[in-house]
C-alpha cells in the first residue's frame, strides 16, 4: 500500500523494492542483492553504447520535465574536455518526497546510478547536490560513498576498470530554486542560487563552465536496472504508450487515507490508484481537487483525475502534468482558495527575485489571494489575478514564475465558484442573476 | 529521529554540522592552520576546481562551530577562500539555513506549506509557540532554549507534520507528541 505500508499487489517495486529493508543500506547488503554488477558491466562498456541503451529504454527525466535521458546524455561527446555530472537531490517541490526514500533506504543504488551516469557522459567527477534539510539522507549517502571508495568501487581505478569515477556530496542550505538545474550549478560553484539565462545550455557550458549533465535522483537510480535487465525489459513496462516507459514513484500526501510512496508502471489508471491503492479520501469526505505532479502542475477535478492515465501523455490529456509525481490530495473540508494562496506564498518565498515579473508577481498574487481569503475580496480580483498570471508566464529566466501562476489559473478555471464566493459584488451579481 | 521503518544510523557518521548554539563570546577563528577544521576544509577544497565552490561547505562548518554565521565568521571564510566579505555576505543572505543571528539551543523549523497545512500544520506551530514560550515566530524563548520558525516544504509531505530540531528530522508530529518532544530537548 505504498511505503511505509507494505507494498500493494498492484505496485511494481523496482526502485522501491528495498525500502524499509535496513540490510540494503550497507555495502555488503547492497552487493548481496546484486548491487554494483551494473556498474561493473557499464565500466566495461563504451559510453556511447550506454547512451544508446538508455535511449532505447525510453527512460525520461523524473525531475519534472520528462526529457529523454539517453538523448540528454548523447549531447555529451568524447571531446577530451572536463565533463561533470550533477545529481539533483534538492527535492523541494511541495508534495514530493520520493528521492528522499531512495537516498535513505538504497543510498548505494544512487551512488551506482551516478557512477554509471558519469561514465556514460565522459565525466570523471560527479556531484550529488542534496538539499540541506535532508540530514538523514546525507548521512546515509556519505557513508555509502565512503564505503564505495574504501572498496575501490569509486576513485582513480573504479572497480579495477582503469577509469576514474569520483563522487562528492554537496549540501545545499535551504533554497527551493537550487533545484532548477542552472541555479544548482551556481550554488555548487559557491554563488547565490540564481538560475542562469539559457543558452548556453549545460551540455555546452555548465558547471565551472564545462559541459555538464544534470539528472534527478530517481532517473539515475533507474539506470542500473536498465543496464542489468536490458532496454527492452524497461521499455516493456508500460500500460499505455511507448513514450512513457518503466516504473515511476508517486509520493501521495494531503487528504488521503494511506499517504506514502507508491511505485507503479507508467500508464496505471489514476482513479484506481487513488481509490484502491491509496484508500481514497478520509472517512466521510470527498476529493475536491487533486494536484498530480507536485505543486507546479495544474489542479485536476476529481472527474479529471478518475479518468487519467498515470504517464507523461495521460496527465496532459486529462488537463494536468506528470511533473515530479507528487500527488497532493485536497478534500471538500478544505478552503481551496486558502490552500492555493499558501502555495503562491511558497513561490513568493522561494523566488530568487532576479526577474521583475516573478518577484512582483508572486508577491502580489499572494497578497490578493490572502486578502480574498480574509473576506476582503474586490470586484476585479479574479481579473487582476489572471492578468498577473499572464505576465508571469513564459516571460522569465526560469519557470518558477509560471509555476506560481499555474495553481491560480487552473484553480480559477476549474473551481470558479470557490473564487467567486470570495468576491462580494460577484456574489451579488450571481444572486441578482438568479433572482432575474 | 527517523521516519517509519526506523533507522539505525551510527553516531560516528556525523554531518559536518550540528545544532546551532548561540553565544556572544568574542569571535575565535575556526580555520586555524594546523587545526582539525582546517584539515577538513583542505579535504573539501580538493573536491572542486575553484576555492569559491567550497563556500557553502565552509559556511556549514562555521555554523557548526559557532552556532551562527556572524560577520566575523563571514570575514574569516572570505579570507581563507580568497573572496571579499561582501561577496560572502551576499551568498549567506540567499540561503535560509545559515543563521545570521544567534538562535535558541533548539532551533525548530516546522513545515507549513500546503500539503502539511491541509493536515493541520498551523495548529502544530501555534502549540509549539505556546509551549516553548517563544513570543513569536523567529523569536528566541527567554530561557534561550528555543527558537521556532515556519519553513517551506521539508520534503516529507506524506508524514505531516514534519519538523526539524537542529539537525534532527522528526516526522508525523501531532499535538499529542509535542510535550514529550520538547521535554527531550536540552
Ligand atoms: C524551480 C524549479 C525547481 C526544480 N526542482 C527540482 C528538484 O528539486 N529536483 C529535480 O530533480 N529537478 C528539479 N527541477 C528540474 C531541473 O531543473 C532539471 O530539469 C532536472 O533535475 C533534470 O533531471 P532529469 O532530466 O533527470 O529529470 C526544478 C526545476 C525548476 C524550474
Ligand atoms: S523566474 Fe523567479 S525564480 Fe526564476 S530566475 Fe526569475 S526571479 Fe528567479
Ligand atoms: S509540504 Fe510539508 S513537507 Fe512537504
Amino acid at each position: 500500500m505504498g511505503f511505509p505500508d507494505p507494498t500493494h499487489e498492484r505496485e511494481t517495486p523496482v526502485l522501491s523494492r528495498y525500502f524499509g529493508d535496513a540490510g540494503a543500506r550497507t555495502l555488503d547488503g547492497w552487493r548481496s542483492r546484486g548491487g554494483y554488477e551494473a556498474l561493473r558491466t557499464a565500466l566495461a562498456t563504451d559510453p556511447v553504447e550506454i547512451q544508446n541503451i538508455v535511449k532505447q529504454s525510453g527512460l525520461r527525466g523524473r525531475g519534472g520535465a520528462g526529457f529523454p535521458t539517453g538523448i540528454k546524455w548523447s549531447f555529451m561527446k568524447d571531446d577530451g574536455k572536463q565533463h561533470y555530472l550533477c545529481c539533483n537531490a534538492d527535492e523541494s517541490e511541495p508534495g514530493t518526497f520520493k528521492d528522499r526514500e531512495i537516498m535513505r533506504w538504497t543510498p548505494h543504488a544512487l551512488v551506482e546510478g551516478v557512477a554509471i551516469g558519469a561514465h556514460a557522459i565522459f565525466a570523471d567527477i560527479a556531484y550529488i547536490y542534496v538539499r540541506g534539510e535532508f540530514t538523514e539522507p546525507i548521512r546515509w549517502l556519505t557513508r555509502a560513498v565512503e564505503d564505495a571508495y574504501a572498496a575501490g568501487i569509486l576513485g582513480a581505478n573504479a572497480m579495477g576498470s582503469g577509469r576514474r569515477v569520483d563522487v562528492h556530496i554537496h549540501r545545499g542550505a535551504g533554497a527551493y530554486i537550487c533545484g532548477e538545474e542552472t541555479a544548482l550549478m551556481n550554488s555548487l560553484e559557491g554563488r547565490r542560487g540564481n538560475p542562469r539565462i539559457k543558452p548556453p545550455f549545460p551540455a555546452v557550458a555548465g558547471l565551472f563552465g564545462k559541459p555538464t549533465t544534470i539528472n534527478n535522483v530517481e532517473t539515475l537510480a533507474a539506470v542500473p536496472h536498465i543496464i542489468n535487465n536490458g532496454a527492452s525489459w524497461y521499455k516493456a513496462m508500460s500500460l499505455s504508450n511507448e513514450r512513457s516507459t518503466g516504473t515511476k514513484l508517486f509520493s501521495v500526501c494531503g487528504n488521503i487515507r494511506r499517504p506514502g510512496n507508491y511505485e507503479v508502471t507508467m500508464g496505471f489508471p489514476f482513479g484506481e490508484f487513488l481509490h484502491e491503492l491509496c484508500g481514497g479520501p478520509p472517512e466521510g469526505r470527498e476529493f475536491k481537487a487533486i494536484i498530480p505532479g507536485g505543486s507546479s502542475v495544474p489542479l485536476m477535478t476529481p472527474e479529471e483525475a478518475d479518468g487519467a492515465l498515470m504517464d507523461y501523455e495521460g496527465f496532459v490529456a486529462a488537463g494536468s502534468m506528470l511533473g515530479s509525481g507528487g500527488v497532493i490530495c485536497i478534500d471538500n473540508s478544505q478552503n481551496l482558495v486558502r490552500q492555493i494562496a499558501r502555495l503562491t506564498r511558497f513561490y513568493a518565498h522561494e523566488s530568487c527575485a532576479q526577474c521583475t515579473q516573478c518577484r512582483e508577481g508572486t508577491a502580489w498574487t499572494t497578497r490578493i489571494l490572502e486578502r480574498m481569503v480574509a473576506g476582503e475580496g474586490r470586484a476585479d480580483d479574479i481579473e487582476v489575478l489572471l492578468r498577473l498570471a499572464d505576465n508571469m508566464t513564459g516571460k522569465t529566466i526560469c519557470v518558477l514564475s509560471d509555476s506560481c501562476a499555474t495553481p491560480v489559473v487552473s484553480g480559477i478555471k476549474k473551481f470558479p465558484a470557490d473564487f467567486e464566493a470570495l468576491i462580494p459584488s460577484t456574489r451579488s451579481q450571481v444572486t441578482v442573476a438568479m433572482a432575474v | 529521529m527517523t521516519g517509519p521503518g526506523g533507522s539505525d544510523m551510527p553516531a560516528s557518521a556525523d554531518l559536518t554540522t550540528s545544532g546551532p548554539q548561540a553565544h556572544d563570546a568574542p569571535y575565535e577563528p575556526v580555520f586555524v592552520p594546523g587545526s582539525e577544521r582546517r584539515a577538513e576544509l583542505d579535504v573539501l577544497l580538493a573536491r572542486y576546481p575553484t576555492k569559491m565552490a567550497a563556500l557553502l561547505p565552509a559556511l556549514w562548518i562555521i555554523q557548526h562551530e559557532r552556532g551562527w554565521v556572524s560577520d566575523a565568521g563571514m570575514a574569516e571564510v572570505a579570507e581563507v577562500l580568497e573572496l571579499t566579505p561582501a561577496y560572502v555576505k551576499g551568498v549567506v543572505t540567499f540561503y535560509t539555513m545559515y543563521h545570521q543571528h544567534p538562535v535558541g539551543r533548539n532551533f525548530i523549523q516546522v513545515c507549513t506549506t500546503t500539503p502539511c497545512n491541509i493536515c493541520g500544520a498551523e495548529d502544530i506551530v501555534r502549540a509549539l509557540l505556546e509551549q516553548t514560550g517563544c513570543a513569536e515566530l523567529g523569536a528566541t524563548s527567554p530561557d534561550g532554549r528555543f527558537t521556532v520558525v515556519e519553513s517551506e516544504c521539508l520534503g516529507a509531505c506524506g508524514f505531516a507534520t514534519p519538523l526539524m530540531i537542529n539537525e534532527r528530522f522528526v516526522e508525523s508530529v501531532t499535538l499529542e507528541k509535542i510535550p514529550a518532544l520538547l521535554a527531550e530537548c536540552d
Side-chain angles (χ1 to χ4, degrees):
Chain A
M1 317 211 175
F3 186 77
D5 289 323
T7 306
H8 191 279
E9 57 183 18
R10 300 197 56 199
E11 282 186 74
T12 311
V14 175
L15 303 170
S16 60
R17 180 156 165 213
Y18 299 114
F19 285 4
D21 174 358
R25 281 172 161 159
T26 61
L27 178 58
D28 287 345
W30 189 243
R31 276 184 152 154
S32 70
R33 287 163 182 77
Y36 289 113
E37 282 312 309
L39 178 58
R40 187 184 301 283
T41 309
L43 288 169
T45 309
D46 181 56
V48 174
E49 176 59 19
I50 300 174
Q51 294 177 359
N52 287 333
I53 294 171
V54 173
K55 241 188 244 178
Q56 285 153 18
S57 75
L59 174 66
R60 291 168 66 177
R62 304 300 195 224
F67 194 86
T69 308
I71 295 179
K72 191 188 263 193
W73 288 5
S74 69
F75 299 150
M76 304 291 277
K77 308 286 184 206
D78 187 10
D79 53 10
K81 290 185 191 158
Q82 173 72 52
H83 291 185
Y84 294 106
L85 177 74
C86 292
C87 171
N88 192 338
D90 195 51
E91 185 166 68
S92 328
E93 169 95 351
T96 317
F97 48 100
K98 60 185 179 71
D99 298 343
R100 168 176 186 260
E101 301 299 0
I102 293 176
M103 293 186 278
R104 287 169 77 205
W105 292 106
T106 55
H108 285 284
L110 181 61
V111 172
E112 186 172 5
V114 166
I116 296 172
H119 173 61
I121 61 156
F122 304 97
D124 58 3
I125 302 180
Y127 298 99
I128 306 178
Y129 185 100
V130 193
R131 66 176 295 182
E133 293 87 346
F134 276 177
T135 48
E136 199 205 340
I138 291 174
R139 287 194 184 94
W140 285 115
L141 265 184
T142 304
R143 186 169 147 188
V145 168
E146 281 170 5
D147 289 352
Y149 268 104
I153 293 168
L154 299 176
N157 182 14
M159 298 189 93
S161 65
R163 297 173 193 276
R164 171 180 285 281
V165 181
D166 279 324
V167 175
H168 303 302
I169 294 161
H170 193 92
R171 186 182 183 192
Y176 164 71
I177 192 59
C178 291
E180 196 281 336
E181 56 189 22
T182 57
L184 184 151
M185 296 188 300
N186 272 343
S187 182
L188 234 163
E189 289 179 12
R191 304 174 195 275
R192 292 167 72 90
N194 291 325
R196 301 176 183 170
I197 293 172
K198 293 191 265 192
F201 290 94
V204 175
L207 186 66
F208 305 113
K210 304 289 192 241
T212 302
T213 299
I214 296 103
N215 278 124
N216 171 259
V217 168
E218 188 187 351
T219 313
L220 290 168
V223 170
H225 296 282
I226 295 171
I227 300 296
N228 280 331
N229 302 308
S232 39
W233 163 81
Y234 197 78
K235 188 152 191 184
M237 284 193 288
S238 174
L239 300 171
S240 51
N241 77 80
E242 58 182 24
R243 277 168 300 154
S244 288
T245 63
T247 61
K248 172 85 188 86
L249 283 169
F250 287 90
S251 314
V252 186
C253 66
N255 300 130
I256 186 84
R257 263 191 245 198
R258 288 194 289 269
N261 274 295
Y262 295 78
E263 185 172 6
V264 293
T265 304
M266 283 286 186
F268 199 91
F270 197 33
E272 277 176 68
F273 178 82
L274 289 170
H275 293 280
E276 286 176 30
L277 276 63
C278 308
E283 185 80 50
R285 307 210 200 131
E286 282 168 24
F287 287 138
K288 166 96 188 180
I290 306 286
I291 307 180
S295 58
S296 302
V297 308
L299 277 66
M300 298 178 104
T301 63
E303 296 72 36
E304 285 175 329
D306 279 344
L309 293 181
M310 303 172 76
D311 64 26
Y312 296 101
E313 295 73 26
F315 277 122
V316 170
S320 188
M321 286 194 294
L322 176 77
S324 62
V327 180
I328 307 171
C329 305
I330 305 176
D331 73 19
N332 57 355
S333 71
Q334 303 293 334
N335 177 334
L336 188 63
V337 182
R338 178 162 177 265
Q339 294 307 340
I340 291 175
R342 186 62 188 83
L343 272 190
T344 65
R345 177 136 69 95
F346 166 83
Y347 289 106
H349 185 264
E350 301 299 329
S351 166
C352 86
Q354 283 187 105
C355 318
T356 312
Q357 298 93 325
C358 176
R359 183 183 61 242
E360 301 298 318
T362 54
W364 276 106
T365 302
T366 306
R367 252 193 250 181
I368 294 170
L369 286 170
E370 288 181 348
R371 176 168 50 66
M372 287 170 72
V373 173
E376 290 166 37
R378 293 178 198 156
D380 61 349
D381 277 346
I382 292 179
E383 195 197 318
V384 174
L385 283 171
L386 290 173
R387 213 166 52 225
L388 267 172
D390 188 46
N391 280 320
M392 289 165 70
T393 305
K395 300 181 175 69
T396 48
I397 295 174
C398 86
V399 295
L400 183 141
S401 181
D402 308 53
S403 299
C404 178
T406 298
V408 179
V409 174
S410 59
I412 292 174
K413 202 167 104 196
K414 297 181 184 180
F415 304 92
D418 291 77
F419 285 82
E420 283 160 6
L422 299 174
I423 293 173
S425 59
T426 314
R427 199 161 54 218
S428 54
Q429 274 166 20
V430 172
T431 322
V432 170
M434 271 165 36
V436 171
Chain B
M1 175 71 70
T2 67
S7 152
D8 50 357
M9 192 62 208
S12 60
D14 206 1
L15 285 177
T16 47
T17 57
S18 72
Q21 282 166 9
H23 67 89
D24 26 25
Y27 187 79
E28 281 178 39
V30 171
F31 300 114
V32 181
S35 70
E36 219 173 291
R37 287 315 207 173
R38 182 61 180 236
E40 198 178 319
L41 181 68
D42 289 338
V43 170
L44 286 169
L45 283 168
R47 295 181 181 172
Y48 310 98
T50 65
K51 283 194 165 181
M52 192 198 271
L55 179 50
L56 265 60
L59 290 167
W60 276 121
I61 295 175
I62 295 276
Q63 179 149 309
H64 172 75
E65 292 297 304
R66 297 291 171 256
W68 61 298
V69 183
S70 62
D71 283 353
M74 293 183 218
E76 187 192 1
V77 171
E79 195 181 327
V80 293
L81 298 182
E82 293 167 18
L83 303 165
T84 67
Y87 177 83
V88 173
K89 187 154 200 157
V91 172
V92 169
T93 52
F94 187 86
Y95 298 94
T96 56
M97 290 185 81
Y98 296 124
H99 304 308
Q100 294 166 59
H101 306 279
V103 294
R105 283 200 303 286
N106 300 280
F107 183 79
I108 306 181
Q109 31 179 340
V110 191
C111 172
T112 59
T113 308
T114 302
C116 290
N117 206 295
I118 287 173
C119 301
E122 285 178 352
D123 297 337
I124 303 284
V125 171
R126 224 168 288 129
L128 280 170
L129 284 176
E130 243 171 63
Q131 294 177 39
T132 54
C134 293
E136 57 182 345
L137 287 171
T140 298
S141 60
D143 58 7
R145 269 180 87 201
F146 296 105
T147 304
V148 180
V149 299
E150 280 184 270
S151 82
E152 296 296 345
C153 179
L154 287 172
C157 330
F159 313 111
T161 295
L163 55 76
M164 289 189 78
I165 306 176
N166 299 333
E167 297 286 315
R168 178 179 163 205
F169 205 100
V170 192
E171 296 171 351
S172 309
V173 176
T174 56
L175 290 174
E176 296 72 50
K177 291 186 191 165
I178 292 177
L181 203 55
L182 294 179
E184 286 167 28
C185 296
D186 73 344

